């Protein structure tokens, strides 16, 4: 890039404010910014990174105060992806809620759905009535989802370092996960597949074979990340001792998930407060004590291996049976069936309610339009999402709609640790530190 | 009307399912008619039905399991510091296997610090604060709900504090649980609850110059009617609903 171009590029994002000169970074222009910084006589410089910077995981805005290459203060500006999902939920039935929550952290849709449904089931008092097959498929989907979420974390993290092979590999393998989602739920994301009381439908024919094939393929592919990154001196140099947050920092800032486990504490809700039958599965909770980004990368890799183990156990355990509670006041009457257009009602069911059973028609109509009532009270459930503790606080006023639903999204809470991880470090390490938190703005902003 | 029904347990929706030792909880709403439809006629003949909605009320001892242990330790630790537990803890609710302490708002920081630091309690992790708006809960319209997790003892409890709409102040517990920084900003942003002592209580999700508090019940959802196959589908908050 010639000097003249560089100057225009850099100056395009420079503004004089009452606080001093403000540089807007648009990506790939660190050289120019650094040059502008050295030629400036201003001691305190604020770099306003994002909200559209390619390496900020969506619309995250980082406000960095830098002194040369050192970040002296870092703050995050969020809210650019706020969609009012929690408010919207209050205007839909309890079942329709799943279509909204699945869109929160769009990389962990099954965790959002499962956490929400577990909370609704707790309020209804039907936790013990959920059929075994539904529980196994929930665990299966959540562990598949852990794989796809960690794959994106590693892939985008690699891309931000310039390791595009890691990115290609990560998205290649995530595609295998998405193919399975599509086969099982009909959709690649935003599934609304886990419903209060069970699942929207059963596994389609061929799913078990596809899952076994997938496990075999992933066992072959996962070591490639090891080969590419784990021992790679450049990768290690960029990640080791970067984004440092020790156990005291994690506890104070409420950081959970791989961030907490990278500080050596083996806290995992699947072991501590098991749900959906996790206590019956055989798996390990890996930890490292490096407190840094490299440790978090190793953890994600190991957690994916453990997820494969759980998926295998799920597939082995699957027995034919119902996937929805027996209570006809809660369960939707029809099992959805895959039609030529993707999703739809079972034609047999429509034939039954339209042709032979007036009562079934009324019942179907009431349950779908009006929904079921949930006794007044509140409940909190939490699941171990790939990012940490995903908590759901649900309040009912006894009506057919949620009175209040609050998601304690781990991305939101963990992102607070950004300042503690970045201040005092180098500008380039901010990217690595944020990537190791794996924030997804859909979850942060909701 | 509401009061009369409230004294009459048979008319309560929640009362039937509560254990005997539980007192009736606060009234948070009144439901009319058979189906709860708020528009359109009710031809069932039960259109005049009025039922009050109550939250689960205070429980009396024993609470069961480790709940008694936590309650004893908390009361003991508060007494040691010279507080009268009855003044700090309004009531204790055990519902659906969860333990909730309703804390007088001025004592929230004391209670939180005690719960965090007492070795027998050790609730190290706060999972943030969730606001709830009950316009019908007179004098206690705004609720702030905290969930505290003890990794040491593998326990989870809930703290609930209330503030009236006219005086929406709750002490901040950011200096006890720094993680609540963003959570309290979020609750302020959506409910207008002012957390006194928060280091920088500003909006976090909504734009800085936003008017109003979107998650309050009197704040409209908004939306526009949509035409679909020739029919007008009203905005979500205008559609027929059942309560």
């Amino acid at each position: 890039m010639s000097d003249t171009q560089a100057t225009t590029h850099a100056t395009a994002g420079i503004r004089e404010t009452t606080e001093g000169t403000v540089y807007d970074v648009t990506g790939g222009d660190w050289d120019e910014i650094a040059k502008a910084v050295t030629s400036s006589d201003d001691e305190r410089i604020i770099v306003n990174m994002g909200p559209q910077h390619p390496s900020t995981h969506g619309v995250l805005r980082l406000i960095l105060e830098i002194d040369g290459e050192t970040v002296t203060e870092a703050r995050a500006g969020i809210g650019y992806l706020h969609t009012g999902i929690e408010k919207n939920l209050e205007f839909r039935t309890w079942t329709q809620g799943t279509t909204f929550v699945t869109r929160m952290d769009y990389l962990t849709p099954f965790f959002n759905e499962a956490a929400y449904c577990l909370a609704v089931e707790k309020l209804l008092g039907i936790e013990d009535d959920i059929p075994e097959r539904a529980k196994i498929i929930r665990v299966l989907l959540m562990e598949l989802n852990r794989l796809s979420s960690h794959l994106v974390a590693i892939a985008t993290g690699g891309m931000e370092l310039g390791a595009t092979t890691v990115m290609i590999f990560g998205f290649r393998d995530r595609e295998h996960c998405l193919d399975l989602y599509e086969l099982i739920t009909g959709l690649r994301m935003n599934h609304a597949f886990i419903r209060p009381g069970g699942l929207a439908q059963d596994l389609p024919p061929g799913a078990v074979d596809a899952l076994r094939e997938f496990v075999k393929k992933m066992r072959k592919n996962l070591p490639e990340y090891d080969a590419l990154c784990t021992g790679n001196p450049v990768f290690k140099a960029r990640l080791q001792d970067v984004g440092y947050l020790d156990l005291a920092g994690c506890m104070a800032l409420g950081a959970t998930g791989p961030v907490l486990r990278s500080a050596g504490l083996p806290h995992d809700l699947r072991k501590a407060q098991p749900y959906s039958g996790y206590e019956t599965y055989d798996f390990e909770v890996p930890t490292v004590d490096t407190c840094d980004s490299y440790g978090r990368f190793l953890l994600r890799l190991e957690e994916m291996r453990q997820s494969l183990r759980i998926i295998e156990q799920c597939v082995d355990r699957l027995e034919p049976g119902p996937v929805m509670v027996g209570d006809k006041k809660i369960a939707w009457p029809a099992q959805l069936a895959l039609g030529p257009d993707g999703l739809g009602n079972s034609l047999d069911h429509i034939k039954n309610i339209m042709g032979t059973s007036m009562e079934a028609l009324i019942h179907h109509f009431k349950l779908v339009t009006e929904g079921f009532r949930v006794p007044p009270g509140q409940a909190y459930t939490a699941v171990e999402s790939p990012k940490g503790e995903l908590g759901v606080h649900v309040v009912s006023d006894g009506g057919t709609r949620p009175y209040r639903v609050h998601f304690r999204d781990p991305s939101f809470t963990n992102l607070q640790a950004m300042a503690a991880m970045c201040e005092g470090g180098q500008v380039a390490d901010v990217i690595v530190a944020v990537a190791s938190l794996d924030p997804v703005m859909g979850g942060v902003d909701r | 009307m509401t009061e009369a029904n409230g004294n009459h347990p048979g008319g309560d929706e929640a009362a039937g399912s509560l254990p005997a030792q539980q007192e009736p909880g606060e009234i948070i709403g009144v439901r009319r008619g058979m189906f709860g439809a708020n528009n359109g006629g009710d031809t069932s003949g039960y259109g005049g039905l009025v039922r009050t909605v109550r939250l689960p009320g205070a429980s009396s001892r024993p609470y069961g399991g480790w709940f008694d242990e936590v309650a004893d330790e908390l009361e003991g630790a508060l007494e040691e510091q010279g507080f009268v537990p009855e003044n700090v803890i309004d009531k204790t609710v055990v519902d659906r296997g969860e333990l909730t302490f309703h804390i007088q708002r001025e004592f929230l920081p004391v209670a939180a610090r005690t719960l965090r630091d007492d070795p027998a309690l050790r609730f190290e992790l706060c999972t943030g604060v969730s606001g709830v708006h009950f316009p019908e809960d007179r004098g206690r319209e705004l609720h702030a709900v905290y969930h505290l997790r003890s990794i040491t003892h593998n326990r989870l409890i809930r703290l609930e504090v209330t503030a009236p709409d006219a005086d929406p102040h709750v002490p901040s517990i950011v200096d006890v649980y720094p993680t609540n920084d963003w959570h309290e900003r979020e609750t302020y942003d959506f409910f207008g609850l002012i957390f006194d002592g928060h280091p920088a209580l500003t909006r976090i999700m909504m734009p800085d110059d936003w008017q109003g508090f979107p998650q309050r019940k009197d704040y409209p959802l908004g939306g526009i009617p949509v035409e679909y196959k020739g029919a007008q589908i009203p905005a979500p908050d205008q559609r027929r609903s059942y309560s």
Side-chain angles (χ1 to χ4, degrees):
Chain A
M1 194 181 279
S2 75
D3 258 330
T4 41
Q5 268 178 320
T7 323
T8 15
H9 195 41
T11 46
I14 295 178
R15 280 174 295 129
E16 294 295 333
T17 69
T18 47
E19 290 286 298
T21 316
V22 175
Y23 298 82
D24 287 331
V25 181
T26 49
D29 48 3
W30 286 110
D31 292 344
E32 295 90 85
I33 291 292
K35 223 176 271 173
V37 168
T38 41
S39 63
S40 158
D41 55 351
D42 198 354
E43 278 177 17
R44 195 179 70 129
I45 290 161
I46 299 159
V47 175
N48 193 8
M49 201 169 97
Q52 295 293 358
H53 194 275
S55 55
T56 55
H57 288 251
V59 279
L60 169 65
R61 177 182 171 207
L62 297 174
I63 305 146
L64 309 174
E65 191 179 302
I66 55 173
D67 178 12
E69 279 286 320
T70 310
V71 178
T72 52
E73 253 190 284
R75 293 290 180 270
I78 61 168
Y80 295 94
L81 210 56
H82 177 61
T83 44
I85 290 176
E86 288 176 2
K87 177 86 173 173
N88 265 288
L89 286 173
E90 295 167 13
F91 293 86
R92 317 285 161 145
T93 66
W94 291 93
T95 304
Q96 284 175 317
T98 51
T99 40
F100 278 88
V101 299
T102 190
R103 285 159 170 79
M104 285 185 167
D105 183 341
Y106 42 81
L107 293 184
T108 61
F110 291 118
F111 289 94
N112 303 343
E113 295 171 22
Y116 170 78
C117 291
L118 288 170
V120 177
E121 285 156 11
K122 195 173 195 176
L123 278 177
L124 284 165
I126 57 166
E127 294 149 297
D128 300 333
D129 306 331
I130 310 302
E132 196 54 34
R133 188 176 169 86
K135 283 191 196 171
I136 295 171
I137 298 175
R138 282 180 180 183
V139 170
L140 176 84
L141 290 171
M142 280 193 274
E143 293 308 320
L144 267 178
N145 204 169
R146 193 179 310 278
L147 273 160
S148 69
S149 171
H150 279 348
L151 283 168
V152 173
I154 290 175
T156 55
M159 183 187 68
E160 287 157 11
L161 299 176
T164 44
T165 316
V166 183
M167 189 268 283
I168 300 283
F169 279 23
F171 278 97
R172 172 199 68 190
D173 289 339
R174 175 176 179 255
E175 200 61 25
H176 298 316
C177 299
L178 295 188
D179 286 345
L180 281 174
Y181 298 164
E182 191 175 359
L183 175 69
I184 293 170
T185 74
L187 296 161
R188 286 160 58 88
M189 61 197 302
N190 305 337
H191 316 278
F193 186 73
I194 300 174
R195 302 279 174 90
L199 303 170
Q201 63 188 96
D202 204 349
L203 290 181
V208 170
D209 292 337
L211 282 162
R212 285 194 199 282
E213 192 58 36
F214 169 81
V215 173
K216 216 189 288 171
K217 204 164 14 187
M218 286 306 292
R219 285 218 195 283
K220 196 164 85 25
N221 288 357
L222 282 184
E224 293 182 351
Y225 298 93
D226 258 332
L228 263 177
C229 305
T230 308
N232 184 331
V234 181
F235 191 80
K236 280 169 86 171
R238 286 301 307 275
L239 267 71
Q240 270 175 340
D241 299 327
V242 170
Y244 187 91
L245 191 69
D246 63 6
L247 186 55
C250 285
M251 295 312 298
L253 293 168
T256 46
V259 185
L260 180 59
R261 288 190 287 272
S262 75
L265 187 70
H267 174 66
D268 188 316
L269 289 171
R270 293 178 293 173
K271 291 278 189 199
Q273 304 266 323
Y275 46 90
S276 298
Y278 263 113
E279 66 276 17
T280 59
Y281 294 90
D282 185 21
F283 66 100
E284 315 279 327
V285 178
T287 56
V288 292
D289 53 8
T290 55
C291 308
D292 63 356
S293 301
Y294 184 66
R296 284 165 214 142
F297 162 77
L298 293 180
L299 279 182
R300 293 203 170 94
L301 214 49
E302 183 53 34
E303 282 180 17
M304 289 200 284
R305 290 191 201 102
Q306 299 297 332
S307 291
L308 283 181
R309 282 177 70 188
I310 301 177
I311 292 170
E312 258 180 345
Q313 294 172 48
C314 289
V315 174
D316 290 342
R317 282 185 197 189
L318 280 174
E319 299 279 348
V323 292
M324 198 61 171
V325 284
D327 188 347
K328 292 294 176 202
K329 290 288 176 198
I330 293 166
W332 275 24
Q335 281 289 302
L336 295 177
L338 276 175
D341 59 344
L343 264 182
N345 271 324
S346 147
L347 289 177
D348 283 341
H349 176 72
I350 291 177
K351 199 171 147 198
N352 176 41
I353 60 174
M354 297 304 281
T356 60
S357 175
M358 181 73 161
E359 286 73 24
L361 176 66
I362 295 170
H363 198 76
H364 182 131
F365 181 76
K366 289 252 304 170
L367 205 49
V368 173
T369 59
E370 188 179 321
F372 52 80
R373 287 186 166 73
V374 173
Q378 57 184 332
Y380 178 86
T381 55
V383 300
E384 185 72 28
S385 105
K387 281 119 186 161
E389 173 167 351
L390 175 66
V392 186
H393 176 230
V394 177
V395 184
S396 172
D397 70 340
T400 57
R401 297 167 158 193
Y403 190 76
R404 162 82 168 135
V405 180
H406 175 66
F407 267 63
R408 184 261 189 208
D409 194 277
S411 294
F412 176 80
T413 315
N414 290 357
L415 194 54
Q416 287 187 98
M418 187 277 301
M421 285 179 173
C422 299
E423 285 177 4
Q426 301 232 304
V427 179
D429 291 344
V430 172
I431 309 296
V432 177
V434 171
S436 79
L437 287 171
D438 189 22
V440 171
M441 299 317 285
V444 173
D445 292 344
R446 286 156 286 137
Chain B
M1 189 63 149
T2 310
E3 275 308 307
N5 265 285
N7 295 331
H8 194 44
D12 284 2
E13 284 217 333
S17 59
L18 298 179
Q21 79 275 17
Q22 208 147 17
E23 295 168 15
E26 304 86 40
I27 295 167
I28 53 157
V30 179
R31 187 147 296 141
R32 288 164 202 284
M34 185 68 187
F35 301 116
N38 57 13
N39 50 1
D42 185 345
T43 55
S44 66
Y46 291 95
L49 208 62
V50 178
R51 286 168 293 177
T52 50
V53 183
R54 286 167 177 277
L55 289 177
S59 311
S60 50
R61 301 244 189 185
Y63 303 137
W66 52 264
F67 292 174
D68 289 292
E69 198 185 319
V70 169
D72 288 341
E73 290 291 345
L74 177 60
E75 284 171 15
L78 286 171
E79 259 170 18
E80 268 173 38
Q81 297 172 67
F83 295 100
V84 183
E86 289 74 34
N87 295 347
V88 178
I89 305 167
D90 253 352
K91 60 175 173 180
T92 308
V93 178
V94 177
D95 180 51
R96 294 175 170 93
E98 294 181 339
L99 178 65
T100 310
F101 293 111
H102 289 253
I103 307 284
Q104 273 293 339
R105 55 176 167 165
E106 60 267 34
F107 294 110
L108 177 67
V110 173
R113 189 172 291 276
T114 309
L115 285 164
R116 186 193 69 178
D117 291 345
D118 193 284
L121 297 166
R122 209 59 102 206
F123 287 88
E124 314 96 337
L125 188 68
C126 180
T127 67
V129 51
S130 161
V132 191
H133 185 209
F134 291 107
E136 304 297 320
D137 194 3
R138 302 275 174 233
R140 332 170 353 116
E141 286 89 352
L142 293 163
H143 291 223
V145 184
Y146 304 80
H147 294 93
L148 306 182
R149 186 180 290 287
S150 165
I151 294 177
T152 310
H153 301 293
N154 198 16
R155 292 167 177 167
L156 182 86
I157 58 164
R158 177 185 296 128
L159 301 185
E160 193 163 338
V161 293
T162 65
D165 238 345
D167 178 33
H169 289 265
V170 169
S172 167
I173 55 168
V174 169
D175 53 349
V176 184
Y177 294 110
T179 176
N180 268 28
D181 180 355
W182 283 16
H183 290 278
E184 288 182 2
R185 281 177 64 192
E186 188 186 348
T187 307
Y188 160 72
D189 195 356
F190 289 146
F191 290 90
L193 260 175
I194 297 163
F195 292 90
D196 296 318
H198 188 283
L201 195 66
T202 52
R203 287 193 182 268
I204 188 165
M205 294 295 175
M206 308 302 287
D208 291 343
D209 55 354
W210 195 263
Q211 298 289 316
F213 301 106
Q215 291 265 13
R216 289 198 184 196
K217 287 289 172 185
D218 50 7
Y219 190 100
L221 178 68
I224 52 165
V226 177
E227 194 174 310
Y228 181 68
K229 293 192 175 172
Q232 281 274 326
I233 314 294
D237 57 344
Q238 303 299 319
R239 290 176 202 160
R240 169 185 278 253
S241 67
Y242 310 84
S243 56

Short mmCIF file of all heavy atoms in Angstrom, two decimals, chain B residues 16 21 23-24 34 44 50 62 84 91 93 97 100 104 112 118 120-121 140 149 159 162 169-170 197 208 223 232 234:
data_model
loop_
_atom_site.label_atom_id
_atom_site.label_comp_id
_atom_site.label_asym_id
_atom_site.label_seq_id
_atom_site.Cartn_x
_atom_site.Cartn_y
_atom_site.Cartn_z
N GLY B 16 -54.84 -23.31 45.98
CA GLY B 16 -55.17 -24.73 45.98
C GLY B 16 -53.94 -25.61 45.94
O GLY B 16 -53.93 -26.70 46.52
N GLN B 21 -48.50 -25.12 55.19
CA GLN B 21 -47.76 -24.17 56.02
C GLN B 21 -47.50 -22.86 55.30
O GLN B 21 -46.86 -21.98 55.83
CB GLN B 21 -46.44 -24.78 56.51
CG GLN B 21 -45.31 -24.79 55.52
CD GLN B 21 -45.36 -25.98 54.60
OE1 GLN B 21 -46.37 -26.64 54.48
NE2 GLN B 21 -44.25 -26.27 53.94
N GLU B 23 -48.36 -19.27 53.73
CA GLU B 23 -49.32 -18.17 53.81
C GLU B 23 -49.65 -17.72 52.40
O GLU B 23 -48.86 -17.90 51.50
CB GLU B 23 -48.71 -17.00 54.58
CG GLU B 23 -48.41 -17.29 56.03
CD GLU B 23 -47.54 -16.21 56.64
OE1 GLU B 23 -47.43 -15.12 56.03
OE2 GLU B 23 -46.98 -16.46 57.71
N PRO B 24 -50.82 -17.07 52.23
CA PRO B 24 -51.12 -16.55 50.90
C PRO B 24 -50.14 -15.43 50.54
O PRO B 24 -49.78 -14.61 51.39
CB PRO B 24 -52.55 -16.03 51.02
CG PRO B 24 -52.83 -15.92 52.47
CD PRO B 24 -51.93 -16.89 53.17
N MET B 34 -64.20 -16.45 31.98
CA MET B 34 -63.89 -17.88 31.94
C MET B 34 -62.58 -18.14 31.24
O MET B 34 -61.78 -18.95 31.66
CB MET B 34 -65.03 -18.59 31.22
CG MET B 34 -64.90 -20.10 31.21
SD MET B 34 -65.09 -20.78 32.86
CE MET B 34 -64.69 -22.47 32.55
N SER B 44 -69.74 -18.06 27.72
CA SER B 44 -69.76 -19.28 28.53
C SER B 44 -70.75 -19.17 29.69
O SER B 44 -71.08 -20.16 30.31
CB SER B 44 -68.37 -19.54 29.08
OG SER B 44 -68.02 -18.52 30.00
N VAL B 50 -64.55 -13.55 38.82
CA VAL B 50 -63.37 -12.75 39.18
C VAL B 50 -62.48 -13.60 40.09
O VAL B 50 -62.92 -14.12 41.10
CB VAL B 50 -63.77 -11.46 39.92
CG1 VAL B 50 -62.53 -10.68 40.32
CG2 VAL B 50 -64.67 -10.61 39.06
N PRO B 62 -40.32 -26.26 59.21
CA PRO B 62 -39.02 -26.38 58.54
C PRO B 62 -39.15 -26.21 57.03
O PRO B 62 -40.15 -26.58 56.44
CB PRO B 62 -38.60 -27.80 58.90
CG PRO B 62 -39.89 -28.54 59.07
CD PRO B 62 -40.88 -27.55 59.58
N VAL B 84 -31.13 -7.32 63.47
CA VAL B 84 -32.26 -8.18 63.85
C VAL B 84 -32.72 -8.90 62.58
O VAL B 84 -33.17 -8.24 61.64
CB VAL B 84 -33.41 -7.35 64.45
CG1 VAL B 84 -34.54 -8.26 64.90
CG2 VAL B 84 -32.90 -6.49 65.59
N LYS B 91 -39.51 -12.10 54.53
CA LYS B 91 -40.13 -13.42 54.58
C LYS B 91 -39.29 -14.38 53.77
O LYS B 91 -38.44 -13.96 52.98
CB LYS B 91 -41.56 -13.36 54.03
CG LYS B 91 -41.61 -12.92 52.59
CD LYS B 91 -43.02 -12.98 52.05
CE LYS B 91 -43.06 -12.38 50.66
NZ LYS B 91 -44.36 -12.38 50.06
N VAL B 93 -39.59 -17.72 51.28
CA VAL B 93 -40.53 -18.48 50.47
C VAL B 93 -39.83 -19.72 49.94
O VAL B 93 -38.72 -19.63 49.39
CB VAL B 93 -41.05 -17.63 49.29
CG1 VAL B 93 -42.00 -18.44 48.42
CG2 VAL B 93 -41.74 -16.37 49.79
N GLY B 97 -39.07 -26.17 45.02
CA GLY B 97 -37.71 -26.60 45.33
C GLY B 97 -36.69 -25.48 45.32
O GLY B 97 -35.49 -25.74 45.23
N THR B 100 -36.20 -18.66 48.53
CA THR B 100 -36.15 -17.23 48.25
C THR B 100 -36.19 -16.45 49.55
O THR B 100 -37.10 -16.67 50.36
CB THR B 100 -37.35 -16.79 47.38
OG1 THR B 100 -37.45 -17.67 46.27
CG2 THR B 100 -37.17 -15.36 46.90
N GLN B 104 -35.36 -6.73 53.00
CA GLN B 104 -35.66 -5.29 53.03
C GLN B 104 -34.57 -4.56 52.25
O GLN B 104 -33.39 -4.82 52.47
CB GLN B 104 -35.67 -4.80 54.48
CG GLN B 104 -37.01 -4.94 55.18
CD GLN B 104 -38.07 -4.03 54.59
OE1 GLN B 104 -37.74 -3.03 53.93
NE2 GLN B 104 -39.33 -4.39 54.78
N ALA B 112 -26.05 -9.50 51.25
CA ALA B 112 -25.23 -10.05 50.18
C ALA B 112 -23.81 -10.32 50.67
O ALA B 112 -23.23 -11.36 50.41
CB ALA B 112 -25.21 -9.10 48.99
N ASP B 118 -19.53 -15.41 54.76
CA ASP B 118 -19.64 -16.38 55.85
C ASP B 118 -19.22 -17.75 55.35
O ASP B 118 -19.73 -18.24 54.34
CB ASP B 118 -21.08 -16.43 56.37
CG ASP B 118 -21.17 -17.18 57.68
OD1 ASP B 118 -21.10 -18.43 57.65
OD2 ASP B 118 -21.31 -16.51 58.72
N ALA B 120 -19.87 -20.68 56.22
CA ALA B 120 -20.92 -21.69 56.13
C ALA B 120 -21.91 -21.37 55.01
O ALA B 120 -22.70 -22.23 54.64
CB ALA B 120 -21.67 -21.78 57.45
N LEU B 121 -21.87 -20.16 54.50
CA LEU B 121 -22.79 -19.78 53.42
C LEU B 121 -22.04 -19.78 52.09
O LEU B 121 -22.34 -20.55 51.20
CB LEU B 121 -23.40 -18.41 53.70
CG LEU B 121 -24.25 -18.35 54.97
CD1 LEU B 121 -24.54 -16.92 55.37
CD2 LEU B 121 -25.57 -19.11 54.76
N ARG B 140 -45.01 -2.05 46.06
CA ARG B 140 -43.85 -2.91 45.82
C ARG B 140 -43.82 -3.27 44.35
O ARG B 140 -43.64 -4.42 43.98
CB ARG B 140 -43.93 -4.20 46.65
CG ARG B 140 -44.69 -4.09 47.93
CD ARG B 140 -44.99 -5.41 48.65
NE ARG B 140 -44.65 -6.60 47.93
CZ ARG B 140 -43.72 -7.46 48.34
NH1 ARG B 140 -43.05 -7.25 49.44
NH2 ARG B 140 -43.47 -8.54 47.65
N ARG B 149 -25.09 -18.28 43.73
CA ARG B 149 -24.67 -19.66 43.64
C ARG B 149 -23.46 -19.88 44.53
O ARG B 149 -22.53 -19.07 44.52
CB ARG B 149 -24.32 -20.02 42.19
CG ARG B 149 -24.00 -21.49 41.98
CD ARG B 149 -23.66 -21.78 40.54
NE ARG B 149 -24.80 -21.67 39.63
CZ ARG B 149 -25.79 -22.57 39.57
NH1 ARG B 149 -25.77 -23.60 40.36
NH2 ARG B 149 -26.77 -22.42 38.72
N LEU B 159 -32.48 -14.02 46.17
CA LEU B 159 -32.82 -12.87 46.99
C LEU B 159 -33.79 -12.01 46.20
O LEU B 159 -33.62 -11.84 44.99
CB LEU B 159 -31.58 -12.03 47.32
CG LEU B 159 -30.42 -12.69 48.07
CD1 LEU B 159 -29.37 -11.64 48.40
CD2 LEU B 159 -30.91 -13.36 49.34
N THR B 162 -37.82 -5.34 46.86
CA THR B 162 -38.83 -4.59 46.13
C THR B 162 -38.66 -3.10 46.38
O THR B 162 -38.07 -2.69 47.39
CB THR B 162 -40.25 -4.98 46.56
OG1 THR B 162 -40.42 -4.61 47.93
CG2 THR B 162 -40.50 -6.46 46.38
N HIS B 169 -35.62 3.05 44.20
CA HIS B 169 -34.21 2.95 44.58
C HIS B 169 -33.92 1.62 45.28
O HIS B 169 -34.68 1.20 46.15
CB HIS B 169 -33.83 4.09 45.52
CG HIS B 169 -33.78 5.42 44.81
ND1 HIS B 169 -32.61 5.93 44.31
CD2 HIS B 169 -34.75 6.30 44.51
CE1 HIS B 169 -32.86 7.10 43.73
NE2 HIS B 169 -34.15 7.35 43.83
N VAL B 170 -32.81 1.01 44.89
CA VAL B 170 -32.33 -0.21 45.53
C VAL B 170 -30.82 -0.03 45.68
O VAL B 170 -30.18 0.49 44.77
CB VAL B 170 -32.64 -1.45 44.65
CG1 VAL B 170 -31.91 -2.68 45.16
CG2 VAL B 170 -34.13 -1.73 44.60
N GLY B 197 -25.28 3.77 44.54
CA GLY B 197 -23.92 3.34 44.81
C GLY B 197 -23.26 2.64 43.64
O GLY B 197 -22.10 2.26 43.71
N ASP B 208 -28.44 6.01 24.67
CA ASP B 208 -28.30 6.82 25.88
C ASP B 208 -29.43 7.81 26.07
O ASP B 208 -29.76 8.15 27.21
CB ASP B 208 -26.96 7.58 25.83
CG ASP B 208 -25.78 6.64 25.97
OD1 ASP B 208 -26.00 5.50 26.42
OD2 ASP B 208 -24.66 7.04 25.62
N GLY B 223 -45.15 -2.16 17.17
CA GLY B 223 -45.37 -3.06 16.05
C GLY B 223 -46.44 -2.50 15.13
O GLY B 223 -47.22 -1.63 15.51
N GLN B 232 -55.67 -8.53 7.40
CA GLN B 232 -54.81 -7.71 8.26
C GLN B 232 -54.49 -8.48 9.53
O GLN B 232 -55.40 -8.88 10.25
CB GLN B 232 -55.55 -6.42 8.64
CG GLN B 232 -55.56 -5.37 7.54
CD GLN B 232 -54.32 -4.49 7.60
OE1 GLN B 232 -53.80 -4.23 8.66
NE2 GLN B 232 -53.84 -4.07 6.44
N PRO B 234 -53.05 -8.00 13.09
CA PRO B 234 -52.65 -6.88 13.95
C PRO B 234 -51.28 -7.10 14.58
O PRO B 234 -50.76 -8.22 14.60
CB PRO B 234 -53.75 -6.85 15.02
CG PRO B 234 -54.47 -8.13 14.92
CD PRO B 234 -54.17 -8.77 13.62
#
